[in-house]
């Protein structure tokens, strides 16, 4: 297999000697996940070999899919399509932005006896254990004594300007990097914010900077705010040159997937690039609407959908500042069969004039569990109407072909219909977990959701005669004159409205449990109203039996509450269904596929 590898390619990358291969073929001889900050994107360390030498590498997060999909494995062969060669204090690090796994070449044991890459003429460095920070370079923490960074060749779509030296990818920035320049597009620019406290006063602004490798937030305080605010314009491409502090990102203040952020310093240079091409306009990492139930509360995500409904503008007053804010609620749908409510604020709400059935891509929306799953566009977020991207074209094609007439399950009240005012996310439990954790056995009501299949519906008393007054639903009593009476409303009427009160036995792979459910869920399960079922009972008992039979073997996601109840002087736990939805097969298939990947099968 040695003839398949571009031998000597690694040396050429780092020295520029000869004619470096633009897309070298190498062998992966090691791959390991890196431990980073909690809640951050997982990173991977890879060792690549060209048979003669090997070098430690780091995958950009945009290339993580080759690992998670099981394509990049020890012993496989790859073609590097975009990369950045760096050196710090004699240590070589290759940042891989894009690559193809050559599956047709298969896997094999390490080819040859490659040695650590050493460049003649460089200072010898005593070997040390190699470490990496999540999002940073390989190598030990540098000493305080300054040592210049060596400029090395790059192979990426980011242009290299002779006046700006070597252009770094944003993905490669870390506190260990010195003397760097990035070429990036400003995708978002905040307003100037001021603060006043006991320690003084000040002002700041921030921008989001994007290149082909990733995105990073940069903030300017006080003097830097005055000097740089007017230079940055949204959509423009700029060179940013150190000194500029690289520090750990404050995740509560950013919607970007980067472990680091920048802070402009006195001597930071910002220059508008003459060439505005070659830098992406915006980078999305979409979450499907159907997957929102699996996303943690307060997460910051990107999403895309068809604009189904546009609400009127309303105004609320901030409790902290007493200032009024405009808000508008939008309803989005996508091809997962779900809809979601998304709130936009301020100027976005007041000036919103997008036509329904347009495709809108949102970047930087916050996930809330108030009233079920809902979304809110952050001030640092953005929206793009009918963007020219594959996801938008596919969504529009689906909607025109079938989505316009589809019905959609709402995230409203899913998992939180019985929650407190502050909202609550119901934990997903198997049936055995519900029992072993003694849910409902304490004084407080416990809430949970479970995926289960109906195996039996009790046919005895599946409904009751209810008052026909709006919002009453109390049981009606039949009188001697064949009239019905509601004691609560003090009204009589000729005929009641029957409402479901079903008792279901449901099962998953861990056990069985009895659930009680009311009219809304009963209608969905039985496929008809309780009045219609009652008519079948009076006129065609065989047909009624078939309706019960068809309700069996159907799988739903049940949202339940568990509470201690007294029945015939005995205490028992009652599991009551507050809502249910059909199993979202697309979302469930994705979950199962990801679970299978964890087994490395």
């Amino acid at each position: 297999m040695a003839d398949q590898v571009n031998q000597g390619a690694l040396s050429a990358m780092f020295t520029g000697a000869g004619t470096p291969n633009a897309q070298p073929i190498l062998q992966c001889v090691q791959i390991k996940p890196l431990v980073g900050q909690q809640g951050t994107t997982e990173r991977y360390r890879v060792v690549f070999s060209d048979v003669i030498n090997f070098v430690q590498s780091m995958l950009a997060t945009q290339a993580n899919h080759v690992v998670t999909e099981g394509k990049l494995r020890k012993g496989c062969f790859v073609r590097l399509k975009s990369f950045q060669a760096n050196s710090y204090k004699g240590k070589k690090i290759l940042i891989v932005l894009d690559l193809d796994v050559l599956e047709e070449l298969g896997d094999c044991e390490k080819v040859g006896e490659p040695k650590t890459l050493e460049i003649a003429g460089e200072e010898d460095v005593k070997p040390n254990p190699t470490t990496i920070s999540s999002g940073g370079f390989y190598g030990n923490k540098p000493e305080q004594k300054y040592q210049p960074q060596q400029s090395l060749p790059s192979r990426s779509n980011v242009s290299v300007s002779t006046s700006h030296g070597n252009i770094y990818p944003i993905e490669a920035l870390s506190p260990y990097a010195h003397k760097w320049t990035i070429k990036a597009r400003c995708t978002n620019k905040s307003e100037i914010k001021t603060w006043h406290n006991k320690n003084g006063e000040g002002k700041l602004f921030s921008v989001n900077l994007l290149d082909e490798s990733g995105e990073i937030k940069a903030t300017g305080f006080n003097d830097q705010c005055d000097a740089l605010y007017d230079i940055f314009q949204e959509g423009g491409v700029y060179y940013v040159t150190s000194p500029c502090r690289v520090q750990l990102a404050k995740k509560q203040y950013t919607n970007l997937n980067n472990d680091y952020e920048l802070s402009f310093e006195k001597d930071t240079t910002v220059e508008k690039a003459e060439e505005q091409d070659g830098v992406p306009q915006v980078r999305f990492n979409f979450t499907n609407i159907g997957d929102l139930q699996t996303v943690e509360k307060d997460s910051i995500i990107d999403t895309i959908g068809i604009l189904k409904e546009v609400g009127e503008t309303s105004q609320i007053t901030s409790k902290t500042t007493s200032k009024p804010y405009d808000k508008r609620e939008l309803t989005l749908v996508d091809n997962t069969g779900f809809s979601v409510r998304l709130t936009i604020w301020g100027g976005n709400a007041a000036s919103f004039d997008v036509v329904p059935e347009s495709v809108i891509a949102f970047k930087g929306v916050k996930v809330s569990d108030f009233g079920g799953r809902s979304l809110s566009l952050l001030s640092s977020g953005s929206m793009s109407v009918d963007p020219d991207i594959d996801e938008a074209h596919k969504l529009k094609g689906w909607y025109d072909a079938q989505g316009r007439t589809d019905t959609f399950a709402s995230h409203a009240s899913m998992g939180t219909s019985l929650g407190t005012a502050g909202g609550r996310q119901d934990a997903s439990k198997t049936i055995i977990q519900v029992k072993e954790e003694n849910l409902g056995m304490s004084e407080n009501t416990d809430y949970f959701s479970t995926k289960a299949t109906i195996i039996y519906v009790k046919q005895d008393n599946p409904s009751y005669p209810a008052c026909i007054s709006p919002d009453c639903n109390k049981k009606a009593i039949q009188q001697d004159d064949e009239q019905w009476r509601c004691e609560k409303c003090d009204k009589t009427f000729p005929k009641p409205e029957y409402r479901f009160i079903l008792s279901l036995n449901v099962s998953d792979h861990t056990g069985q449990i009895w659930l009680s459910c009311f009219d809304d869920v009963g209608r969905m399960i039985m496929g008809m109203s309780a009045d219609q079922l009652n008519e079948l009972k009076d006129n065609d008992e065989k047909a009624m039996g078939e309706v019960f039979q068809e309700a069996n073997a159907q799988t739903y996601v049940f949202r339940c509450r568990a509470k201690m109840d007294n029945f015939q002087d005995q205490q028992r736990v009652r599991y009551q269904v507050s809502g249910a939805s059909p199993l979202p097969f697309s979302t469930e298939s994705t979950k199962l596929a990801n679970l299978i990947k964890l087994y490395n099968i």
Side-chain angles (χ1 to χ4, degrees):
M1 300 297 293
D3 58 336
Q4 302 288 346
V5 179
N6 295 124
Q7 300 183 33
L10 292 176
S11 178
M13 286 183 202
F14 283 87
T15 63
T19 304
N21 194 312
Q23 295 190 350
I25 295 177
L26 305 172
Q27 184 184 26
C28 172
V29 295
Q30 188 183 74
I31 180 168
K32 289 184 178 180
L34 299 164
V35 178
Q37 291 180 313
Q38 187 175 3
T40 60
T41 303
E42 191 167 26
R43 306 296 297 275
Y44 295 96
R45 164 190 167 186
V46 185
V47 178
F48 288 117
S49 163
D50 67 0
V51 180
I52 299 173
N53 298 111
F54 66 83
V55 69
Q56 305 214 41
S57 309
M58 184 175 68
L59 284 188
T61 53
Q62 68 199 57
N64 278 359
H65 64 93
V66 295
V67 179
T68 57
E69 292 172 3
K71 294 180 180 179
L72 186 64
R73 303 177 300 276
K74 181 179 179 180
C76 73
F77 296 87
V78 302
R79 176 183 288 109
L80 303 189
K81 298 170 64 179
S82 181
F83 55 88
Q84 176 85 26
N86 293 300
S87 178
Y88 183 73
K89 294 191 70 176
K91 292 185 179 298
K92 308 297 177 296
I93 169 67
L94 191 66
I95 308 295
V96 179
L97 306 174
D98 192 15
L99 75 165
D100 286 334
V101 177
L102 305 179
E103 297 181 79
E104 66 273 15
L105 298 182
D107 303 345
C108 69
E109 294 297 322
K110 181 174 63 177
V111 178
E113 295 294 333
K115 301 182 183 301
T116 303
L117 179 63
E118 295 180 357
I119 307 300
E122 285 194 351
E123 178 187 357
D124 290 331
V125 179
K126 182 178 179 180
N128 287 309
T130 306
T131 58
I132 186 170
S133 62
S134 178
F137 289 117
Y138 291 93
N140 296 328
K141 185 176 180 180
E143 301 173 2
Q144 295 299 316
K145 181 180 177 181
Y146 173 73
Q147 187 165 349
Q149 173 100 4
Q150 181 188 6
S151 288
L152 293 168
S154 66
R155 293 292 180 272
S156 70
N157 293 331
V158 180
S159 61
V160 177
S161 166
T162 55
S163 61
H164 293 91
N166 194 51
I167 303 300
Y168 261 59
I170 286 175
E171 185 78 26
L173 293 178
S174 82
Y176 308 120
H178 299 277
K179 286 196 173 182
W180 50 260
T181 296
I182 59 172
K183 182 182 180 183
R185 188 180 302 278
C186 174
T187 59
N188 183 269
K189 174 184 170 183
S190 74
E191 297 179 353
I192 294 178
K193 301 176 182 178
T194 59
W195 75 86
H196 305 270
N197 56 36
K198 62 181 180 180
N199 296 321
E201 59 184 36
K203 54 187 173 181
L204 64 86
F205 85 104
S206 63
V207 291
N208 292 347
L209 301 174
L210 170 74
D211 70 6
E212 66 164 6
S213 72
E215 197 165 6
I216 195 167
K217 178 183 177 182
T219 304
F221 296 89
N222 299 323
D223 292 344
Q224 282 66 51
C225 179
D226 293 334
L228 300 176
Y229 185 80
D230 291 334
I231 295 177
F232 282 106
Q233 299 298 326
E234 287 190 8
V237 178
Y238 301 88
Y239 292 107
V240 179
T241 304
S242 61
C244 183
R245 187 186 312 154
V246 184
Q247 58 194 23
L248 286 174
K250 298 179 179 66
K251 293 294 185 179
Q252 67 270 35
Y253 301 123
T254 180
N255 62 321
L256 302 183
N257 184 21
N258 196 319
D259 294 339
Y260 296 108
E261 63 186 20
L262 303 178
S263 180
F264 297 128
E265 296 186 343
K266 178 181 178 182
D267 296 322
T268 302
T269 301
V270 177
E271 177 186 349
K272 188 168 184 178
E274 293 181 5
E275 295 181 359
Q276 298 285 299
D277 298 331
V279 179
Q281 295 287 337
V282 65
R283 181 182 299 281
F284 293 105
N285 184 20
F286 290 124
T287 297
N288 292 331
I289 295 175
D291 291 337
L292 291 178
Q293 284 295 321
T294 66
V295 179
E296 291 186 6
K297 175 181 176 291
D298 295 331
S299 296
I300 309 299
I301 65 165
D302 304 337
T303 194
I304 186 171
I306 299 288
L307 179 63
K308 194 70 172 175
E309 297 176 3
V310 180
E312 295 295 326
T313 304
S314 59
Q315 200 169 75
I316 64 170
T317 302
S318 170
K319 293 181 180 179
T320 55
T321 65
S322 297
K323 292 182 179 179
Y325 289 94
D326 290 324
K327 63 174 288 191
R328 189 193 294 265
E329 292 188 349
L330 314 176
T331 301
L332 299 180
V333 299
D334 70 4
N335 54 5
T336 62
F338 278 85
S339 67
V340 68
R341 185 180 73 255
L342 188 149
T343 305
I344 56 177
W345 303 88
N348 284 331
S351 62
F352 188 84
D353 60 355
V354 180
V355 178
E357 300 191 346
S358 299
V359 179
I360 309 184
F362 290 89
K363 183 173 182 63
V365 293
K366 187 175 183 179
V367 179
S368 168
D369 63 358
F370 179 74
R373 277 293 186 266
S374 59
L375 303 174
S376 178
L377 181 64
L378 299 176
S379 59
S380 59
S382 62
M383 56 182 172
S384 302
V385 179
D386 292 326
D388 186 16
I389 56 177
D390 289 344
E391 293 88 346
H393 299 319
K394 291 177 182 176
L395 205 55
K396 187 64 174 175
W398 158 80
Y399 188 77
D400 290 341
Q402 69 178 77
R404 185 174 282 108
T405 58
D406 281 357
T407 56
F408 299 91
S410 173
H411 280 292
S413 302
M414 288 187 67
T416 58
S417 57
L418 299 171
T420 61
R424 179 199 68 252
Q425 180 179 3
D426 298 346
S428 178
K429 303 285 186 183
T430 61
I431 290 175
I432 196 170
Q433 286 176 322
V434 171
K435 295 179 178 180
E436 290 182 347
E437 295 176 16
N438 295 320
L439 297 186
M441 299 289 284
S442 64
E443 295 181 358
N444 298 323
T445 302
D446 292 317
Y447 299 90
F448 66 93
S449 65
T450 188
K451 180 183 69 176
T453 302
I454 298 173
I455 57 176
Y456 182 69
V457 182
K458 274 190 178 180
Q459 298 188 27
D460 298 335
N461 302 319
S463 62
Y464 72 97
C467 174
I468 62 174
S469 299
D471 303 321
C472 178
N473 300 335
K474 289 294 184 181
K475 185 175 181 180
I477 307 299
Q478 189 173 20
Q479 298 182 314
D480 294 338
D481 57 358
E482 296 187 354
Q483 291 286 308
W484 294 81
R485 177 177 175 79
C486 174
E487 297 291 344
K488 178 185 176 184
C489 300
D490 193 21
K491 292 181 179 179
T492 58
F493 34 88
K495 186 177 179 182
E497 177 189 13
Y498 281 87
R499 297 179 63 85
F500 282 115
I501 179 169
L502 295 179
S503 184
L504 317 173
N505 190 233
V506 301
S507 173
D508 66 7
H509 63 288
T510 66
Q512 300 177 12
I513 198 172
W514 283 96
L515 303 177
S516 300
C517 61
F518 295 114
D519 196 61
D520 289 344
V521 176
R523 285 170 178 262
M524 180 175 63
I525 290 172
M526 303 305 292
M528 61 178 60
S529 68
D531 280 329
Q532 292 171 316
L533 186 68
N534 210 49
E535 273 189 40
L536 287 180
K537 179 182 178 182
D538 294 338
N539 301 315
D540 191 344
E541 288 195 2
K542 181 180 178 182
M544 185 191 76
E546 291 175 353
V547 171
F548 277 93
Q549 189 63 34
E550 288 176 3
N552 292 331
Q554 303 298 317
T555 302
Y556 297 90
V557 177
F558 295 98
R559 300 176 299 285
C560 310
R561 67 174 183 175
K563 188 176 182 180
M564 190 66 70
D565 190 19
N566 288 312
F567 180 72
Q568 296 180 349
D569 296 328
Q570 290 186 349
Q571 283 193 325
R572 64 174 187 177
V573 178
R574 186 181 184 190
Y575 304 104
Q576 183 174 310
V577 178
S578 59
S581 59
L583 191 65
F585 290 103
S586 175
T587 304
E588 192 66 21
S589 297
T590 301
K591 284 186 192 175
L592 294 175
N594 291 334
L595 185 62
I596 291 171
K597 289 176 185 176
L598 296 177
Y599 292 93
N600 295 320
I601 296 176

